[in-house]
Structure formats: structure tokens, C-alpha cells
Amino acid sequence: MTSEMKLKSSNPFYHLAYWVFILITLTLVFGQKWENAITAFYFISLMMPIVLGTSYFFNYYLVPRFLLKKRLFKFGLYTIYTIIVSFYLEYIVLIYAYVYLAQYRFQSIAPNATDTILLGVILYLLVILGSVLLMLKQIKEKQLLIEDLSVEKEKIKRAVLELKSNRKLIKIPLDEILYIESMSDYIMVQTSNDRISSKERISHIIERLPSTFLRIHRSYIVNTDKISSANMSEISLADHLLPIGRSYKALVKEKIL
């Protein structure tokens, strides 16, 4: 039974906060130039779907599917197609914006609004900025993943659990441990043919064990390699039946069942 380590999924809150920040910033910038913040807000709101679509298509489809796989020709080709489609959609938005604003009798729309070069620059600067932020986030997550893997490798490399028992330091091979039980102020390590007690806390022990060991109850840690059967209420190891704690059921289901 293995435990998969994955990068954390993106938090939708950060995406929403980022684009709200972009909307407010562009509204303020264009609102000052046009001397009409309401017009700027309506116009930028019409442009946002293009910005969002281009950004997510580029960052979450073109980059991982082609750039990261070094399929550079297709990446360049589809990027050009994306740019063409984006500019085409910009013209549609411009036409609709004139009609929309005219219907609401806004006096005029500033010259910058029809400057497609400016719009293109803003659009792709936002896409590039989003790409940079995304890559920085992924780099940070990969660094954390590498650190976790290093810690895991070190735990496996030791392959023994060192404990003090009866004032002696003993080394218990990990592959001999069936489970560890918390007994109030000490723990009991159940091996294939022995029981070893130690003045340790179960919460401290789990931090020193590799991912093959899983806490299934406030009082139990099991060696998942020794599990013979399991369901949502208990786990069987050799001749031992251990209960699964209510707050640990989801974790057991994910890692074992």
C-alpha cells in the first residue's frame, strides 16, 4: 500500500482575488484617463472574459501540454492562433461596447478604448503576469515536495525505530512492527513476536516513521504493509483487530481502502 504525494491544488480564492484586483486596477487607470470611472468599469468588465479565457487557456492548456513537454512547434503555432482569436474577440467587444454605451447615453468613450495595441499589450501583460505567478507558486510547491521526499527517504534509510525501554536504547526494525498503541503516558510497540514499552508520546512517534505507517485512531498507529484486511470500522493485522477512530476514517479510506 503506497501513499502518493501530490502538489496542492490551486485555491479558487486566490484566483478570484487576483482577477478582482485586476478589474479594480484597470478601472482606476482607465477611469482617470477617461474621467469617467463608470464607463471604464463597464468597458473593462466586457474585456475581462477575453483576459480570463486567454490566460487560463495559455497557462493551463498550452504551457503544460506543449511547452513543458518541449513540443515547441505546436506551442508556438497554437500561441499564434490564440493571439489572433484574442484580437478578433477584442474587435467584437469594441463594437459591442460602442453600441452598449450608446444605448446608455454615455457622452463619449476615450480614444484609448479604441487603441487595439494598448488593449493587446494589457491583455498579454496580464497573461504573462499570471504565468509568472503560477510558475512561482508551482516552484514553491515542488520545493516543499522535494523536502518532504528527502525527509521520507531519510526515515526509510534508517529502517529502524529507536526507543528507550527500561533505560536501554533499543532499535526495532520497522518491518517487524505490526502496530503501536498509546497507553496513556507511554506507548506499546507490538512486533511480530514481542511487545516493547517506552515513555514516548504517540504524536511524536508518528513524525519519526515513514509513510508506510498510518495513524488510524488516537491510540493506534499501524504498519500498512502488515494489514491483512480492512473496512471502515476496523483493521486486521495478523491476530489483532484494531478500531478506526471516527476522525481518522477519511484518511484511512484515502490511504488504505
Side-chain angles (χ1 to χ4, degrees):
M1 303 192 184
T2 59
S3 157
E4 295 183 2
M5 303 186 75
K6 301 178 182 179
L7 293 179
K8 296 178 180 178
S9 58
S10 297
N11 189 332
F13 172 78
Y14 294 116
H15 290 257
L16 179 62
Y18 172 75
W19 290 113
V20 168
F21 170 76
I22 294 299
L23 176 62
I24 293 173
T25 301
L26 292 181
T27 299
L28 292 175
V29 171
F30 279 85
Q32 284 184 344
K33 290 184 177 181
W34 302 351
E35 298 181 354
N36 192 328
I38 295 177
T39 304
F41 175 78
Y42 278 115
F43 186 79
I44 300 303
S45 296
L46 290 172
M47 291 294 297
M48 286 303 290
I50 300 175
V51 177
L52 285 164
T54 304
S55 179
Y56 284 101
F57 181 75
F58 180 82
N59 291 323
Y60 290 95
Y61 184 80
L62 294 184
V63 171
R65 194 179 182 92
F66 300 106
L67 181 61
L68 297 182
K69 294 182 180 179
K70 298 183 179 180
R71 300 165 67 181
L72 300 181
F73 175 76
K74 286 190 174 181
F75 174 74
L77 182 64
Y78 292 144
T79 299
I80 292 173
Y81 288 162
T82 302
I83 293 172
I84 293 172
V85 171
S86 297
F87 275 109
Y88 178 75
L89 292 174
E90 282 184 11
Y91 279 110
I92 293 177
V93 169
L94 283 172
I95 294 170
Y96 181 76
Y98 274 116
V99 174
Y100 179 82
L101 295 177
Q103 286 179 344
Y104 282 82
R105 298 181 181 180
F106 287 103
Q107 294 180 353
S108 63
I109 194 166
N112 284 347
T114 58
D115 189 344
T116 55
I117 296 177
L118 177 61
L119 293 176
V121 168
I122 292 174
L123 174 62
Y124 291 106
L125 280 177
L126 290 173
V127 173
I128 292 170
L129 177 60
S131 298
V132 171
L133 293 175
L134 180 63
M135 284 188 289
L136 288 175
K137 185 174 183 295
Q138 289 178 339
I139 289 171
K140 183 179 179 180
E141 289 182 349
K142 286 180 180 179
Q143 287 175 340
L144 293 174
L145 180 59
I146 290 171
E147 290 175 5
D148 289 342
L149 289 173
S150 298
V151 172
E152 186 72 12
K153 185 177 179 181
E154 184 62 29
K155 290 177 181 177
I156 295 172
K157 184 180 178 181
R158 288 197 295 267
V160 294
L161 177 62
E162 294 184 352
L163 293 173
K164 279 188 177 182
S165 181
N166 297 323
R167 299 182 181 179
K168 293 181 181 179
L169 181 64
I170 61 172
K171 296 181 179 181
I172 310 171
L174 295 180
D175 59 1
E176 291 185 7
I177 299 174
L178 294 179
Y179 65 89
I180 300 170
E181 182 179 1
S182 175
M183 311 286 287
S184 184
D185 60 341
Y186 68 98
I187 62 167
M188 188 69 72
V189 180
Q190 177 69 56
T191 67
S192 304
N193 50 25
D194 199 4
R195 283 173 67 84
I196 303 163
S197 63
S198 176
K199 289 284 187 178
E200 290 270 4
R201 287 185 176 274
I202 195 169
S203 57
H204 294 165
I205 288 294
I206 191 65
E207 295 175 358
R208 293 159 52 191
L209 293 168
S211 60
T212 51
F213 286 81
L214 181 68
R215 192 166 184 180
I216 64 165
H217 189 279
R218 61 181 300 182
S219 300
Y220 294 104
I221 296 171
V222 299
N223 184 346
T224 58
D225 289 339
K226 301 294 184 179
I227 294 175
S228 54
S229 65
N231 55 47
M232 286 301 294
S233 60
E234 61 185 16
I235 285 175
S236 175
L237 305 95
D239 297 326
H240 305 274
L241 282 177
L242 304 180
I244 298 173
R246 183 180 300 176
S247 59
Y248 294 88
K249 287 183 184 293
L251 181 62
V252 172
K253 183 178 180 181
E254 177 188 349
K255 302 294 183 180
I256 298 176
L257 300 178

